Amino acid sequence: KELRLKQQYFFVSASIQDVMARYESKHSDWTKFSDKAAFQLNDTHPTIAVPELMRLLMDVKGLEWDAAWDVTRKTLAYTNHTVLPEALEKWPVKVLGKLLPRHMDIIDRINTEWLEVARPYAEKDAEETAAKAKETAAKAAASAPAKKADDKEDKKEGKKEKKEEKKVDPVEAELTKYSIIGVNDWDKDTKLVNMAFLATVGGSAVNGVAAIHSEIIKEDIFQDFVKIFPEKFQNKTNGVTPRRWL
């Protein structure tokens, strides 16, 4: 995994720095970089471009965070070619932090600010989830048979278990759907950076490569993100079939 990340970073950084050097030979205003340059992120493999462009604009060219973030989002765009896991990379935070600590710091801040944008939507999601749960419980209670006297002990045990359960803030629970940094489902002690989410938040557009595929990613992978910025999601058909062409 470390070798793979090193390879991705090497090619991404070299490409960005080459374009920046050519831009700098004729221009000096880095806030207008996106007027002359654009990078298309083909699947999640080059998504490290998001924090790398931020790093170069801030640490090397001297831009403040907000200005660098504005330029980065305008310069980058993301193409999703498939919904298969191999094209939706998730890098362990430990690996990113070890090899690219500055980039991990930038990703952390991007995620923190992004979750504040997503919070009102998470609050609405939590309200809708609670309403549905209440409605389901009411229907179940109405259709349930009368309780027997010997069920009282079971009821007491159930209440005891509920008290012992750790309360989870419903809004925070809903926010996990939007978070760029999440928990590994197979190892709860490991946190992962969702590179598809990072590319979506850090770019100007997201596209699939066929009309059906573009709808699938909106309804499946990015259904929560579509609610926040539907205008980002587009379709760019990748070629034509001979049957349709003829």
Side-chain angles (χ1 to χ4, degrees), residues 168-198:
V168 178
D169 185 322
V171 176
E172 294 301 321
E174 293 291 343
L175 268 177
T176 60
K177 300 185 302 183
Y178 300 89
S179 185
I180 295 167
I181 302 171
V183 175
N184 186 343
D185 292 334
W186 303 102
D187 181 3
K188 300 300 182 182
D189 294 327
T190 302
K191 288 187 176 182
L192 302 173
V193 177
N194 189 316
M195 302 306 273
F197 287 4
L198 179 60

Side-chain angles (χ1 to χ4, degrees), residues 20-79:
M20 291 180 77
R22 282 185 280 159
Y23 175 85
E24 196 168 30
S25 68
K26 295 182 179 180
H27 309 280
S28 58
D29 187 353
W30 287 102
T31 63
K32 296 181 180 178
F33 181 61
S34 61
D35 293 343
K36 301 294 182 181
F39 296 96
Q40 194 69 30
L41 308 178
N42 279 309
D43 283 327
T44 55
H45 314 307
T47 303
I48 199 68
V50 176
E52 173 62 1
L53 183 53
M54 287 290 289
R55 182 190 72 84
L56 290 168
L57 290 171
M58 291 190 297
D59 298 356
V60 180
K61 303 306 177 184
L63 266 61
E64 295 296 326
W65 176 276
D66 290 342
W69 183 235
D70 184 58
V71 173
T72 296
R73 287 186 299 155
K74 289 177 179 177
T75 305
L76 305 177
Y78 167 48
T79 295

Side-chain angles (χ1 to χ4, degrees), residues 2 25 33-34 39 69 78 86 107 115-116 122 132-133 140 144 154 156 160-161 191 210 239:
E2 288 188 10
S25 68
F33 181 61
S34 61
F39 296 96
W69 183 235
Y78 167 48
E86 52 264 33
I107 292 170
L115 290 181
E116 287 309 304
K132 287 179 182 177
D154 292 336
K156 287 180 181 178
K160 185 178 179 182
E161 287 178 7
K191 288 187 176 182

Side-chain angles (χ1 to χ4, degrees), residues 194-246:
N194 189 316
M195 302 306 273
F197 287 4
L198 179 60
T200 302
V201 174
S204 61
V206 180
N207 73 275
V209 293
I212 294 175
H213 171 236
S214 295
E215 288 304 310
I216 289 172
I217 64 173
K218 287 197 293 183
E219 295 169 2
D220 185 5
I221 306 171
F222 304 115
Q223 59 176 322
D224 297 304
F225 292 73
V226 173
K227 294 182 292 187
I228 299 178
F229 30 56
E231 71 284 351
K232 267 195 183 188
F233 293 85
Q234 309 170 9
N235 173 60
K236 297 290 185 292
T237 300
N238 192 1
V240 290
T241 64
R243 177 177 58 80
R244 287 185 179 177
W245 182 255
L246 292 172

